[in-house]
Amino acid sequence: MNSLTFRLLEVFEKVVESGSITAASAALSLSQPTVSLQLKKLSSIIGLPLLRHHQGKILLTDAGEALFKCAQDVLGAQARLKSQIQALHGVEAGSLKLAVVTTAKYIIPPLLGPFCKAHPNIDVRFTVGNREQIVRRLEQNRDDIYFFSQPPDDPSLVTTPFKENHLVVIAPPDYDGPDNCSLQDVASQRFLLREAGSGTRMAVEQFCGKHEITFKSPMIIESNEAIRLAVSTGLGLAIVSEHTLAQHEGENVKKLTITDFPLKTHWQAVTLRHRPNSPAVDAFMQALLSTPSN
Ligand code: PGA
């Protein structure tokens, strides 16, 4: 076992957690042949097969189970050591990786300015994607804190609500169709919807499913900015987070008064229970919780 290294254990853990060599390669920024080669090397170090393939899935052999458990113990201990060392250096060193859903990009960057000023040596990385993309990053344990309004329901997550999110119905400035009514009453208008995989779209679908509402001729647009612009130029109606409107007061859209709207959810900061918080994560969470909640 002389040549068993942290890196080999890390590759093995990533393959098992992500369920595929392709996903593990992407998460580790390695090529697929390199990952396959490292798996082969591990298997020859252990002297037994570690993985088997069944109906397109990667499954662990008994030796693989034992090695996976060892990888979790060793890498967990390494992460704890890293965070203790960071603590000895103080908050001022280290990195902070944040991953936010597209709509949350209106609320997190304003906090980053003061935070980076107060902690100039923390290397902050910021990734934006729709809900589905950020859930994938969370499953791959790629970042320190994730931001959703609808986090996955999973006991291995710690979720901290910190701000309200209001979804509102918007229309072009010269809209003269039904208002002060139910969503059903405007469902025959053209609606501009976010793509499948978006958290906003998910909230809209949940509401429509509950009230048996079907939009007559929806158009899919994959960006809050493009939706807002399209509504302002008369293309149709949309349901968007109020945060997407706040910084564009001049861009004219009309908020409709619709029964049960605004739909209210909470922005939540999400961390993985088994990933130890670094001092930088604790400092950012503190900054987050000291901001007004609405
Ligand atoms: P979205 O997510 O940007 O993918 O629509 C927003 C949300 O989770 O509320």
Side-chain angles (χ1 to χ4, degrees), residues 101-103 130-131 148-150 165 194 197-200 267:
V101 291
T102 37
T103 307
N130 71 18
R131 182 182 183 278
F148 298 98
S149 75
Q150 307 189 75
N165 179 34
R194 285 282 306 278
S198 135
T200 309
W267 290 114

Side-chain angles (χ1 to χ4, degrees), residues 106-121:
Y106 298 95
I107 49 171
I108 302 301
L111 297 174
L112 278 178
F115 182 80
C116 291
K117 217 179 233 168
H119 308 288
N121 294 324

Side-chain angles (χ1 to χ4, degrees), residues 175 177-189 191 213 237 258-259:
Y175 170 82
D179 195 355
N180 281 305
C181 60
S182 71
L183 190 64
Q184 187 68 271
D185 297 330
V186 289
S188 59
Q189 312 278 325
F191 264 78
I213 297 169
L237 273 51
I258 302 292
T259 320

